[in-house]
Amino acid sequence: MAARKSGQAKNKAGDILRSPCPVACLLDICGDRWTLLVIRDLMFGRSRFKDFTASPEGIPTNILSDRLNRLLRHGLAEQVPAEDGSLRMGYRLTEKGRALRPVLESMRDWALKWEPSTKAMMP
Amino acid sequence: MAARKSGQAKNKAGDILRSPCPVACLLDICGDRWTLLVIRDLMFGRSRFKDFTASPEGIPTNILSDRLNRLLRHGLAEQVPAEDGSLRMGYRLTEKGRALRPVLESMRDWALKWEPSTKAMMP
DNA sequence: GTTTTTTACTTGCAATTTGCAAGCATCTTG
DNA sequence: CAAGATGCTTGCAAATTGCAAGTAAAAAAC
């Protein structure tokens, strides 16, 4: 018999899309107050759980744990052995994750222009 | 006596910033699953409450009402008399809101490349 | 080599936010 | 003016958030 028809488009992680709109799809992956801040930290080269909790926004650890797993599930990040030779693992952006750089840059540029109390952060 | 020291930087709407990071600031304004979809619709020229509810994602009316008010409060949108000559009001992006176009475009480009089941929507 | 500290989480729970349905004033249309 | 259409608000169940506490393994200190 024919393959089961889902009738619904899905993203690469298998979640049903709200609509075919690419913006809606990205928001289903990253559309909350924390995910893009974790990606920002990853772009700054941070890789360990503790590094993310040290950021000034103070992400709760349960949220961080959930968001890191979501990034793994959606293929934006991957786990790699920590660079310091320890047995622990660190997180690193994949190519798909690094491709979000223009999104973060345009967000940064917008806020620097329109919300003057913000300041570009040096990693 | 001296003016009350808040000690906390604020955005233009008067909300306390989680951090000086511009990305964090933008996320405090737009960082949820719906706000940027409303802005997308505004960029497509939609202006009436009914227009936004007609988008395929199906935003709940209480969320839409809340998000439109947030956009007004943060100066991303403004209310203008409807174009059809009726007494009702419509919404329109301000310059600050229109300046988010590069953010939406980079989001669209990312998803079109990395989430192949998405399709650019024609307004 | 064993106590202590750090790291990377998970769990519990109160508070907030979401989403669905319903209600309700305007407006507009016939 | 009666009948929709529009632009909301309200009520409430379900999901998500955020804070504190707990835990287990790894690393550091002693």
Side-chain angles (χ1 to χ4, degrees), chain B residues 12-15 68-77:
Chain B
K12 290 204 139 190
D15 303 329
L68 287 170
N69 283 319
R70 282 174 66 82
L71 292 179
L72 296 177
R73 206 165 64 80
H74 287 284
L76 302 177

Side-chain angles (χ1 to χ4, degrees), chain B residues 20-98:
Chain B
C21 174
V23 176
C25 174
L26 185 147
L27 290 174
D28 277 340
I29 298 171
C30 304
D32 69 281
R33 293 172 72 241
W34 294 110
T35 304
L36 284 168
L37 294 182
V38 176
I39 292 171
R40 172 202 65 184
D41 286 351
L42 285 163
M43 283 190 182
F44 283 168
R46 289 172 197 143
S47 66
R48 303 285 286 269
F49 196 92
K50 188 69 186 314
D51 299 333
F52 304 119
T53 63
S55 282
E57 294 86 11
I59 186 171
T61 56
N62 57 342
I63 304 283
L64 175 57
S65 182
D66 178 79
R67 295 307 187 273
L68 287 170
N69 283 319
R70 282 174 66 82
L71 292 179
L72 296 177
R73 206 165 64 80
H74 287 284
L76 302 177
E78 60 195 344
Q79 282 189 299
V80 289
E83 293 159 352
D84 59 4
S86 71
L87 298 180
R88 290 179 185 274
M89 300 290 273
Y91 297 88
R92 190 174 61 180
L93 288 175
T94 60
E95 190 190 352
K96 183 177 180 180
R98 286 192 299 275

Side-chain angles (χ1 to χ4, degrees), chain A residues 48 80-90:
Chain A
R48 303 287 288 271
V80 289
E83 293 158 353
D84 58 6
S86 71
L87 298 179
R88 292 178 185 275
M89 299 290 274

